[in-house]
Amino acid sequence: MFGNELFNQCFQLVKVWQPKQKYLNEDDYKKDLREFLFNELNKSNPFSFRTSEKINVKTETGRSLCDIGVGRTVGIELKFSNNGKMKKSEIDRLFGQITGHKKEY
């Protein structure tokens, strides 16, 4: 599973993801989503042509990496707000982060 197929599957999974609980910070949401994606992407599927090799889903570290990396082809950047509203500066920062991540993923 590579490229657009993996991206599309991740996109659909993120849309249906429901965190296990309400968290107080972004890191806990990141861990919850990472675990969900790993479990869903690596479920056994008798109709899949994929080998038994697991899809790597990891929490990334460092300034140039996304919050979650999936198979080194899909990068996910999470944003968290306690009140459900994002400041314009955070939205602008997100666009800058995405631009930087496009080189990696």
Side-chain angles (χ1 to χ4, degrees):
M1 180 181 335
F2 298 98
N4 287 336
E5 182 183 347
L6 181 58
F7 172 83
N8 290 335
Q9 190 170 5
C10 288
F11 184 76
Q12 293 304 316
L13 288 171
V14 169
K15 285 176 32 176
V16 299
W17 168 59
Q18 294 291 316
K20 292 176 185 168
Q21 66 182 60
K22 287 191 175 194
Y23 298 108
L24 298 176
N25 59 60
E26 183 177 301
D27 283 341
D28 289 333
Y29 281 102
K30 188 187 319 181
K31 290 173 191 172
D32 190 302
L33 177 57
R34 191 217 66 81
E35 181 180 323
F36 173 76
L37 289 172
F38 179 83
N39 290 335
E40 291 298 314
L41 290 170
N42 289 297
K43 278 185 177 176
S44 294
N45 180 352
F47 302 106
S48 175
F49 295 104
R50 208 169 16 127
T51 65
S52 62
E53 187 175 319
K54 298 262 186 218
I55 295 174
N56 189 16
V57 181
K58 65 180 184 172
T59 302
E60 303 283 29
T61 58
R63 293 187 53 77
S64 66
L65 299 174
C66 287
D67 289 327
I68 298 174
V70 181
R72 295 302 304 158
T73 58
V74 177
I76 299 171
E77 187 66 40
L78 274 75
K79 291 297 173 206
F80 171 77
S81 172
N82 284 323
N83 64 7
K85 297 179 183 178
M86 297 296 294
K87 294 179 183 177
K88 183 178 181 329
S89 61
E90 274 297 301
I91 294 169
D92 292 342
R93 183 171 166 260
L94 174 61
F95 283 115
Q97 288 175 303
I98 291 169
T99 299
H101 298 325
K102 286 170 74 174
K103 298 171 189 164
E104 297 289 326
Y105 299 95

PDB file of all heavy atoms in Angstrom, residues 64-85:
ATOM      1  N   SER A  64      11.389  19.342  11.938  1.00  0.00           N
ATOM      2  CA  SER A  64      10.984  19.226  10.539  1.00  0.00           C
ATOM      3  C   SER A  64      10.028  18.068  10.276  1.00  0.00           C
ATOM      4  O   SER A  64       9.687  17.807   9.134  1.00  0.00           O
ATOM      5  CB  SER A  64      12.222  19.058   9.654  1.00  0.00           C
ATOM      6  OG  SER A  64      12.839  17.819   9.934  1.00  0.00           O
ATOM      7  N   LEU A  65       9.592  17.378  11.325  1.00  0.00           N
ATOM      8  CA  LEU A  65       8.731  16.220  11.123  1.00  0.00           C
ATOM      9  C   LEU A  65       7.301  16.489  11.594  1.00  0.00           C
ATOM     10  O   LEU A  65       7.069  17.241  12.524  1.00  0.00           O
ATOM     11  CB  LEU A  65       9.302  15.012  11.862  1.00  0.00           C
ATOM     12  CG  LEU A  65      10.686  14.567  11.401  1.00  0.00           C
ATOM     13  CD1 LEU A  65      11.211  13.459  12.298  1.00  0.00           C
ATOM     14  CD2 LEU A  65      10.655  14.103   9.961  1.00  0.00           C
ATOM     15  N   CYS A  66       6.358  15.813  10.958  1.00  0.00           N
ATOM     16  CA  CYS A  66       4.950  15.912  11.353  1.00  0.00           C
ATOM     17  C   CYS A  66       4.734  15.274  12.718  1.00  0.00           C
ATOM     18  O   CYS A  66       5.583  14.556  13.222  1.00  0.00           O
ATOM     19  CB  CYS A  66       4.080  15.179  10.337  1.00  0.00           C
ATOM     20  SG  CYS A  66       3.904  16.024   8.784  1.00  0.00           S
ATOM     21  N   ASP A  67       3.549  15.505  13.270  1.00  0.00           N
ATOM     22  CA  ASP A  67       3.199  14.891  14.556  1.00  0.00           C
ATOM     23  C   ASP A  67       3.129  13.373  14.448  1.00  0.00           C
ATOM     24  O   ASP A  67       3.548  12.655  15.339  1.00  0.00           O
ATOM     25  CB  ASP A  67       1.869  15.438  15.068  1.00  0.00           C
ATOM     26  CG  ASP A  67       1.978  16.881  15.527  1.00  0.00           C
ATOM     27  OD1 ASP A  67       3.037  17.270  16.039  1.00  0.00           O
ATOM     28  OD2 ASP A  67       0.979  17.615  15.380  1.00  0.00           O
ATOM     29  N   ILE A  68       2.565  12.884  13.348  1.00  0.00           N
ATOM     30  CA  ILE A  68       2.457  11.445  13.122  1.00  0.00           C
ATOM     31  C   ILE A  68       2.909  11.156  11.698  1.00  0.00           C
ATOM     32  O   ILE A  68       2.473  11.814  10.753  1.00  0.00           O
ATOM     33  CB  ILE A  68       1.005  10.953  13.319  1.00  0.00           C
ATOM     34  CG1 ILE A  68       0.555  11.190  14.754  1.00  0.00           C
ATOM     35  CG2 ILE A  68       0.879   9.473  12.948  1.00  0.00           C
ATOM     36  CD1 ILE A  68      -0.904  10.878  15.010  1.00  0.00           C
ATOM     37  N   GLY A  69       3.787  10.179  11.560  1.00  0.00           N
ATOM     38  CA  GLY A  69       4.244   9.734  10.250  1.00  0.00           C
ATOM     39  C   GLY A  69       3.709   8.341   9.980  1.00  0.00           C
ATOM     40  O   GLY A  69       3.796   7.464  10.830  1.00  0.00           O
ATOM     41  N   VAL A  70       3.150   8.137   8.800  1.00  0.00           N
ATOM     42  CA  VAL A  70       2.601   6.835   8.419  1.00  0.00           C
ATOM     43  C   VAL A  70       3.384   6.336   7.212  1.00  0.00           C
ATOM     44  O   VAL A  70       3.300   6.929   6.129  1.00  0.00           O
ATOM     45  CB  VAL A  70       1.095   6.928   8.075  1.00  0.00           C
ATOM     46  CG1 VAL A  70       0.546   5.552   7.711  1.00  0.00           C
ATOM     47  CG2 VAL A  70       0.307   7.555   9.213  1.00  0.00           C
ATOM     48  N   GLY A  71       4.154   5.287   7.423  1.00  0.00           N
ATOM     49  CA  GLY A  71       4.883   4.667   6.321  1.00  0.00           C
ATOM     50  C   GLY A  71       5.835   5.594   5.584  1.00  0.00           C
ATOM     51  O   GLY A  71       6.150   5.342   4.453  1.00  0.00           O
ATOM     52  N   ARG A  72       6.249   6.654   6.162  1.00  0.00           N
ATOM     53  CA  ARG A  72       7.155   7.655   5.569  1.00  0.00           C
ATOM     54  C   ARG A  72       6.591   8.304   4.304  1.00  0.00           C
ATOM     55  O   ARG A  72       7.312   8.974   3.573  1.00  0.00           O
ATOM     56  CB  ARG A  72       8.541   7.069   5.275  1.00  0.00           C
ATOM     57  CG  ARG A  72       9.316   6.649   6.481  1.00  0.00           C
ATOM     58  CD  ARG A  72       9.563   7.726   7.493  1.00  0.00           C
ATOM     59  NE  ARG A  72      10.233   8.884   6.948  1.00  0.00           N
ATOM     60  CZ  ARG A  72      10.198  10.088   7.495  1.00  0.00           C
ATOM     61  NH1 ARG A  72       9.511  10.297   8.588  1.00  0.00           N
ATOM     62  NH2 ARG A  72      10.833  11.094   6.954  1.00  0.00           N
ATOM     63  N   THR A  73       5.299   8.104   4.031  1.00  0.00           N
ATOM     64  CA  THR A  73       4.701   8.765   2.872  1.00  0.00           C
ATOM     65  C   THR A  73       3.551   9.682   3.256  1.00  0.00           C
ATOM     66  O   THR A  73       3.156  10.532   2.470  1.00  0.00           O
ATOM     67  CB  THR A  73       4.178   7.749   1.835  1.00  0.00           C
ATOM     68  OG1 THR A  73       3.220   6.896   2.449  1.00  0.00           O
ATOM     69  CG2 THR A  73       5.307   6.912   1.267  1.00  0.00           C
ATOM     70  N   VAL A  74       2.992   9.494   4.446  1.00  0.00           N
ATOM     71  CA  VAL A  74       1.876  10.315   4.899  1.00  0.00           C
ATOM     72  C   VAL A  74       2.274  10.987   6.205  1.00  0.00           C
ATOM     73  O   VAL A  74       2.699  10.319   7.144  1.00  0.00           O
ATOM     74  CB  VAL A  74       0.593   9.472   5.116  1.00  0.00           C
ATOM     75  CG1 VAL A  74      -0.537  10.340   5.661  1.00  0.00           C
ATOM     76  CG2 VAL A  74       0.175   8.794   3.825  1.00  0.00           C
ATOM     77  N   GLY A  75       2.144  12.300   6.239  1.00  0.00           N
ATOM     78  CA  GLY A  75       2.422  13.055   7.451  1.00  0.00           C
ATOM     79  C   GLY A  75       1.144  13.707   7.960  1.00  0.00           C
ATOM     80  O   GLY A  75       0.344  14.215   7.171  1.00  0.00           O
ATOM     81  N   ILE A  76       0.965  13.667   9.279  1.00  0.00           N
ATOM     82  CA  ILE A  76      -0.231  14.246   9.893  1.00  0.00           C
ATOM     83  C   ILE A  76       0.208  15.253  10.934  1.00  0.00           C
ATOM     84  O   ILE A  76       1.027  14.955  11.795  1.00  0.00           O
ATOM     85  CB  ILE A  76      -1.103  13.146  10.552  1.00  0.00           C
ATOM     86  CG1 ILE A  76      -1.561  12.138   9.496  1.00  0.00           C
ATOM     87  CG2 ILE A  76      -2.292  13.774  11.278  1.00  0.00           C
ATOM     88  CD1 ILE A  76      -2.232  10.908  10.065  1.00  0.00           C
ATOM     89  N   GLU A  77      -0.347  16.443  10.851  1.00  0.00           N
ATOM     90  CA  GLU A  77      -0.060  17.523  11.809  1.00  0.00           C
ATOM     91  C   GLU A  77      -1.335  17.791  12.595  1.00  0.00           C
ATOM     92  O   GLU A  77      -2.374  18.096  12.017  1.00  0.00           O
ATOM     93  CB  GLU A  77       0.390  18.779  11.059  1.00  0.00           C
ATOM     94  CG  GLU A  77       0.866  19.890  11.937  1.00  0.00           C
ATOM     95  CD  GLU A  77       2.152  19.555  12.690  1.00  0.00           C
ATOM     96  OE1 GLU A  77       3.055  18.929  12.113  1.00  0.00           O
ATOM     97  OE2 GLU A  77       2.228  19.938  13.871  1.00  0.00           O
ATOM     98  N   LEU A  78      -1.266  17.661  13.917  1.00  0.00           N
ATOM     99  CA  LEU A  78      -2.422  17.905  14.775  1.00  0.00           C
ATOM    100  C   LEU A  78      -2.341  19.298  15.381  1.00  0.00           C
ATOM    101  O   LEU A  78      -1.261  19.788  15.671  1.00  0.00           O
ATOM    102  CB  LEU A  78      -2.462  16.899  15.933  1.00  0.00           C
ATOM    103  CG  LEU A  78      -3.129  15.570  15.671  1.00  0.00           C
ATOM    104  CD1 LEU A  78      -2.256  14.685  14.821  1.00  0.00           C
ATOM    105  CD2 LEU A  78      -3.434  14.898  16.974  1.00  0.00           C
ATOM    106  N   LYS A  79      -3.505  19.880  15.613  1.00  0.00           N
ATOM    107  CA  LYS A  79      -3.605  21.145  16.337  1.00  0.00           C
ATOM    108  C   LYS A  79      -4.682  20.980  17.400  1.00  0.00           C
ATOM    109  O   LYS A  79      -5.702  20.347  17.173  1.00  0.00           O
ATOM    110  CB  LYS A  79      -3.963  22.308  15.407  1.00  0.00           C
ATOM    111  CG  LYS A  79      -2.861  22.661  14.442  1.00  0.00           C
ATOM    112  CD  LYS A  79      -1.645  23.135  15.184  1.00  0.00           C
ATOM    113  CE  LYS A  79      -0.454  23.333  14.277  1.00  0.00           C
ATOM    114  NZ  LYS A  79       0.797  23.194  14.984  1.00  0.00           N
ATOM    115  N   PHE A  80      -4.443  21.562  18.554  1.00  0.00           N
ATOM    116  CA  PHE A  80      -5.330  21.411  19.700  1.00  0.00           C
ATOM    117  C   PHE A  80      -5.675  22.779  20.259  1.00  0.00           C
ATOM    118  O   PHE A  80      -4.829  23.660  20.341  1.00  0.00           O
ATOM    119  CB  PHE A  80      -4.629  20.574  20.781  1.00  0.00           C
ATOM    120  CG  PHE A  80      -5.364  20.529  22.087  1.00  0.00           C
ATOM    121  CD1 PHE A  80      -6.472  19.718  22.252  1.00  0.00           C
ATOM    122  CD2 PHE A  80      -4.958  21.311  23.155  1.00  0.00           C
ATOM    123  CE1 PHE A  80      -7.150  19.671  23.458  1.00  0.00           C
ATOM    124  CE2 PHE A  80      -5.626  21.271  24.371  1.00  0.00           C
ATOM    125  CZ  PHE A  80      -6.721  20.459  24.521  1.00  0.00           C
ATOM    126  N   SER A  81      -6.935  22.942  20.648  1.00  0.00           N
ATOM    127  CA  SER A  81      -7.384  24.176  21.284  1.00  0.00           C
ATOM    128  C   SER A  81      -8.331  23.811  22.418  1.00  0.00           C
ATOM    129  O   SER A  81      -9.257  23.026  22.229  1.00  0.00           O
ATOM    130  CB  SER A  81      -8.101  25.065  20.272  1.00  0.00           C
ATOM    131  OG  SER A  81      -8.693  26.164  20.922  1.00  0.00           O
ATOM    132  N   ASN A  82      -8.094  24.365  23.590  1.00  0.00           N
ATOM    133  CA  ASN A  82      -8.965  24.092  24.744  1.00  0.00           C
ATOM    134  C   ASN A  82     -10.390  24.589  24.534  1.00  0.00           C
ATOM    135  O   ASN A  82     -11.334  23.981  25.002  1.00  0.00           O
ATOM    136  CB  ASN A  82      -8.394  24.735  26.010  1.00  0.00           C
ATOM    137  CG  ASN A  82      -7.224  23.959  26.556  1.00  0.00           C
ATOM    138  OD1 ASN A  82      -7.206  22.741  26.502  1.00  0.00           O
ATOM    139  ND2 ASN A  82      -6.237  24.652  27.070  1.00  0.00           N
ATOM    140  N   ASN A  83     -10.544  25.701  23.811  1.00  0.00           N
ATOM    141  CA  ASN A  83     -11.871  26.292  23.646  1.00  0.00           C
ATOM    142  C   ASN A  83     -12.481  26.037  22.267  1.00  0.00           C
ATOM    143  O   ASN A  83     -13.536  26.570  21.957  1.00  0.00           O
ATOM    144  CB  ASN A  83     -11.819  27.792  23.936  1.00  0.00           C
ATOM    145  CG  ASN A  83     -10.946  28.550  22.959  1.00  0.00           C
ATOM    146  OD1 ASN A  83     -10.460  27.990  21.977  1.00  0.00           O
ATOM    147  ND2 ASN A  83     -10.728  29.826  23.231  1.00  0.00           N
ATOM    148  N   GLY A  84     -11.806  25.262  21.439  1.00  0.00           N
ATOM    149  CA  GLY A  84     -12.336  24.946  20.117  1.00  0.00           C
ATOM    150  C   GLY A  84     -12.092  26.009  19.072  1.00  0.00           C
ATOM    151  O   GLY A  84     -12.555  25.890  17.945  1.00  0.00           O
ATOM    152  N   LYS A  85     -11.371  27.064  19.417  1.00  0.00           N
ATOM    153  CA  LYS A  85     -11.073  28.138  18.472  1.00  0.00           C
ATOM    154  C   LYS A  85      -9.569  28.225  18.286  1.00  0.00           C
ATOM    155  O   LYS A  85      -8.813  28.135  19.237  1.00  0.00           O
ATOM    156  CB  LYS A  85     -11.597  29.470  18.985  1.00  0.00           C
ATOM    157  CG  LYS A  85     -13.102  29.510  19.132  1.00  0.00           C
ATOM    158  CD  LYS A  85     -13.554  30.845  19.669  1.00  0.00           C
ATOM    159  CE  LYS A  85     -15.058  30.837  19.891  1.00  0.00           C
ATOM    160  NZ  LYS A  85     -15.535  32.093  20.448  1.00  0.00           N
TER     161      LYS A  85
END
